[in-house]
Amino acid sequence: GATIELEGLTKQYPGSALPAVDNVTMDFKEGETVILVGPSGCGKSTLLKMINRLIEPTAGRIRIGGEDVTDMDPVRLRRKIGYAIQASGLFPHMTVAQNIALVPKMLRWPSARVRARVEEMLDLVGLDPGEFHGRYPRQLSGGQQQRVGVARALAADPPVLLMDEPFGAVDPITRDHLQDELIRLQRELHKTIVFVTHDFDEAIKLGDRIAVLRERSHIAQFDTPEAILTN
Ligand code: ADP
Ligand code: ADP
C-alpha cells in the first residue's frame, strides 16, 4: 500500500453554481481500507475520479506515497492506482483476458509476463483461467463480471485501489460473497483501498475507517466503524 493525502481538493464542474467537492483535506494510511459513505450526489464519485485523474481538480493537491501526483502523466498513474467500478466497466468487445491485460499492456510489460499475470489474476479472484480466459463480458454473470473488474484493477499490482460501488449491481448473496473475497484479498495484498458505497452495512463490514460525507463532500465523521456505531 501507499499513503494518500488530499489537500484542499475541490471540483467545480463548468456551469455549476456550487462545487461538487469543496475543499476536502483527508489522509488515507498505507494498507488501510477507507469507506466513503454519504447521500447520492455528495461528490463521492467525483472525489475518486479526481484521485484517478479521470477529471481534473479545480484546486488542491493529491499525494500518493508522499509523491505529488496532481499533475502526473495518467499512464504513469496507472502504476499506482487500480480502479474498479459498478457493473465492472469491462469493455464488451474485449475478452476477459484482454480486459485484464489492459493496464499491463499500457505499461508495456513483455507479453509473456502479461499472459502469466492474467492467469494469476483470474486465480486470485476465483475464476478458472481455462474456462474464463476467452469469454466475453456478456457471457459472464454479474458477479463474475465484478470479479474480472477487480482482477483488472489489480493486474499491474498498484499500491492503491479505488473502488466506486464495485458490488452495487449484484444480488445480495453474491455481494456478500464478493465482500468476503475482498476482505481475504486485503489480508493478502495490503493495498490502500478507497471504497465508495451508499450501503452502511457494507461500510461497517469492510472499513478500517469510514468517512461519512455530507453535501459537497464535507466530512461529517471520519473514524473506525466501532467509534461511528457508538456515536
Ligand atoms: P456521488 O458519487 O456522491 O453520487 P457525484 O460525484 O456523482 O456524487 O456528483 C456530485 C455532484 O456533481 C452532483 O450534484 C452531480 O450532479 C454533479 N456532477 C457529477 N458529474 C458531473 C458532470 N460531469 N458535470 C456536471 N455536474 C456533475
Ligand atoms: P477513457 O477515458 O477513454 O474511458 P481511460 O483510460 O480513462 O479511458 O479508462 C479506460 C478504462 O480503464 C475504463 O473502463 C476505466 O474503468 C479503466 N480504468 C481507468 N483507470 C484505471 C486504473 N487506474 N486501473 C485500472 N483500470 C482503469
Side-chain angles (χ1 to χ4, degrees), residues 52 54 78 81-83 89 91 103 152:
N52 199 28
L54 298 174
R78 295 283 189 266
I81 301 178
Y83 184 61
F91 289 110
V103 175
R152 182 175 69 177

Side-chain angles (χ1 to χ4, degrees), residues 93-114:
H93 60 284
M94 289 184 187
T95 65
V96 163
Q98 287 167 338
N99 269 286
I100 296 173
L102 206 63
V103 175
K105 276 188 175 162
M106 209 183 276
L107 298 175
R108 304 187 183 286
W109 288 20
S111 54
R113 186 167 162 223
V114 173

Side-chain angles (χ1 to χ4, degrees), residues 11 13-14 16 18-21 38-47 49 55 164-165 196 213 217:
K11 177 66 185 184
Y13 288 106
S16 309
L18 290 168
V21 169
S40 180
C42 77
K44 303 181 295 297
S45 296
T46 300
L47 203 57
K49 285 179 186 166
I55 57 176
D164 196 346
E165 299 203 39
V196 165
L213 304 179
S217 291

Side-chain angles (χ1 to χ4, degrees), residues 11-228:
K11 177 66 185 184
Q12 182 145 11
Y13 288 106
S16 309
L18 290 168
V21 169
D22 180 25
N23 196 21
V24 169
T25 296
M26 63 197 309
D27 291 356
F28 309 117
K29 296 177 207 156
E30 183 171 355
E32 77 170 339
T33 299
V34 171
I35 315 290
L36 306 182
V37 293
S40 180
C42 77
K44 303 181 295 297
S45 296
T46 300
L47 203 57
L48 283 203
K49 285 179 186 166
M50 282 194 279
I51 300 172
N52 199 28
R53 285 286 298 284
L54 298 174
I55 57 176
E56 296 293 324
T58 310
R61 309 304 299 177
I62 302 162
R63 278 184 294 277
I64 295 181
E67 183 179 7
D68 194 317
V69 300
T70 322
D71 302 311
M72 183 180 274
D73 161 35
V75 174
R76 280 191 60 209
L77 202 58
R78 295 283 189 266
R79 280 177 223 274
K80 295 187 182 289
I81 301 178
Y83 184 61
I85 58 176
Q86 181 166 6
S88 78
L90 300 177
F91 289 110
H93 60 284
M94 289 184 187
T95 65
V96 163
Q98 287 167 338
N99 269 286
I100 296 173
L102 206 63
V103 175
K105 276 188 175 162
M106 209 183 276
L107 298 175
R108 304 187 183 286
W109 288 20
S111 54
R113 186 167 162 223
V114 173
R115 273 198 301 278
R117 187 66 179 168
V118 168
E119 311 289 294
E120 194 187 336
M121 289 299 100
L122 282 169
D123 273 333
L124 184 74
V125 299
L127 296 173
D128 174 28
E131 188 180 345
F132 288 97
H133 184 103
R135 288 211 205 169
Y136 286 88
R138 66 171 181 281
Q139 299 169 313
L140 306 176
S141 72
Q144 289 164 347
Q145 289 185 27
Q146 294 297 178
R147 285 167 190 271
V148 176
V150 172
R152 182 175 69 177
L154 291 171
D157 199 22
V160 169
L161 192 55
L162 305 178
M163 308 183 86
D164 196 346
E165 299 203 39
F167 310 143
V170 295
D171 64 85
I173 292 170
T174 305
R175 185 183 314 142
D176 207 52
H177 195 66
L178 290 171
Q179 289 168 346
D180 291 339
E181 291 281 297
L182 186 70
I183 290 169
R184 179 184 64 81
L185 283 181
Q186 179 61 334
R187 285 203 197 101
E188 278 179 31
L189 303 176
H190 303 290
K191 304 291 181 189
T192 305
I193 300 180
V194 187
F195 187 109
V196 165
T197 183
H198 58 256
D199 178 347
F200 198 68
D201 291 335
E202 183 167 68
I204 297 288
K205 180 172 173 183
L206 297 179
D208 294 315
R209 287 195 295 163
I210 299 172
V212 182
L213 304 179
R214 289 186 280 121
E215 63 287 351
R216 295 185 286 292
S217 291
H218 290 159
I219 302 163
Q221 274 185 295
F222 190 14
D223 216 328
T224 61
E226 296 74 23
I228 283 179

